[in-house]
Amino acid sequence: QDITEQQLLDNARREFVANVSHELRTPLTTVKSYTETLLESNIEDEDTRRNFLEVIDDETERMTRLVKELLQLSRLDNNREKLNLKELDVNSLLSDCAKKVMLTAQAKQQRVECLFDDDIQLHIFADRDRIQQVILNVLTNSIKYTQEGGVIRINSCAQGDAVKITVEDNGMGISDSEISRIFERFYRVDKSHSREIGGTGLGLAITRSSIAMHHGIIKVS
């Protein structure tokens, strides 16, 4: 009996549980230590107290985001995520997404360039919220991993009976050996840098699953 596939699946599950435990333990440790300090120390300085509470709030938000994304992945895995398919205009959606990330990009002196023609309508049947989440996920990653003064370009075109959307940046890039792994759950190309930047390490896994539900393909080069 060939148990190789089952063994790989078991290993993946164990690694996944270990990763989830680690991702939750880090903010929990921070929250506990800061809370204990506030309870046990007589900190009279209001600025210090506020700083401690802001750290606790940030870490709690991080855990909430992680749990939310884990639940979404679980629904995707078990085909319990229902798509609300409607006809939508791709370029209109891309324009909306570009506006949503504009302030974040401007904070790093970056330019977000929309190369598509607003007058050209490209219609697809899709779940608007899911596709918007995918595009925002990719755009946010581009902004995070592109240096100050960088450029993010968004484009679209008809390709047979499908639509091709591209997001391009001039950021730090990814080595060929790691490109195939970036859609894995919790996989980070540069772990120390990624933790510094933030995020749960689940965004691209959710993105790939959402695109697969739409019978689409997502690729990186």
Side-chain angles (χ1 to χ4, degrees):
Q1 185 181 6
D2 183 7
I3 60 165
T4 309
E5 191 175 336
Q6 184 62 43
Q7 185 66 50
L8 287 171
L9 188 60
D10 287 343
N11 289 344
R13 281 178 181 152
R14 275 196 291 272
E15 186 180 355
F16 183 63
V17 170
N19 280 326
V20 172
S21 302
H22 177 75
E23 292 294 330
L24 284 170
R25 187 173 64 240
T26 306
L28 277 170
T29 302
T30 305
V31 167
K32 183 166 176 57
S33 60
Y34 274 76
T35 305
E36 283 176 348
T37 305
L38 282 171
L39 288 169
E40 294 168 6
S41 305
N42 187 21
I43 301 173
E44 294 181 359
D45 181 50
E46 188 57 36
D47 287 341
T48 304
R49 286 169 58 85
R50 183 168 186 80
N51 178 255
F52 275 37
L53 289 169
E54 282 174 354
V55 170
I56 292 168
D57 187 54
D58 285 346
E59 293 298 272
T60 306
E61 178 62 32
R62 185 173 148 196
M63 283 187 288
T64 303
R65 196 165 58 246
L66 175 62
V67 170
K68 185 179 172 184
E69 292 187 356
L70 283 169
L71 288 171
Q72 186 179 358
L73 263 179
S74 175
R75 288 196 303 272
L76 287 165
D77 284 347
N78 295 295
N79 297 315
R80 285 190 285 115
E81 190 90 326
K82 301 298 180 191
L83 294 179
N84 181 23
L85 297 175
K86 291 182 179 176
E87 188 175 8
L88 63 91
D89 177 20
V90 169
N91 287 344
S92 171
L93 179 60
L94 291 177
S95 293
D96 288 346
C97 290
K99 287 172 190 167
K100 288 179 191 292
V101 300
M102 203 64 77
L103 284 177
T104 310
Q106 285 174 355
K108 292 182 72 175
Q109 288 85 51
Q110 295 171 342
R111 291 198 322 276
V112 177
E113 298 178 353
C114 294
L115 305 181
F116 52 87
D117 188 342
D118 275 325
D119 295 329
I120 296 175
Q121 293 194 337
L122 296 173
H123 291 284
I124 59 172
F125 274 95
D127 185 311
R128 183 184 176 87
D129 289 343
R130 297 284 165 266
I131 297 298
Q132 178 174 265
Q133 183 188 24
V134 165
I135 295 162
L136 288 174
N137 226 320
V138 176
L139 283 173
T140 304
N141 273 3
S142 278
I143 291 166
K144 276 182 183 178
Y145 294 100
T146 297
Q147 68 285 351
E148 290 200 2
V151 183
I152 290 93
R153 296 185 177 93
I154 313 167
N155 207 351
S156 65
C157 65
Q159 198 169 66
D161 61 352
V163 170
K164 180 180 180 181
I165 299 169
T166 57
V167 174
E168 179 188 356
D169 63 58
N170 61 344
M172 62 183 71
I174 306 162
S175 68
D176 290 341
S177 62
E178 295 188 287
I179 275 182
S180 63
R181 299 197 62 191
I182 66 166
F183 294 106
E184 291 178 19
R185 297 163 192 201
F186 293 113
Y187 184 75
R188 296 167 193 260
V189 173
D190 180 345
K191 289 183 174 56
S192 58
H193 188 59
S194 295
R195 296 206 190 285
E196 212 175 275
I197 289 174
T200 60
L202 294 173
L204 287 179
I206 290 171
T207 294
R208 182 175 63 176
S209 294
S210 292
I211 288 294
M213 281 188 77
H214 283 84
H215 305 291
I217 300 165
I218 182 164
K219 295 190 293 187
V220 60
S221 61

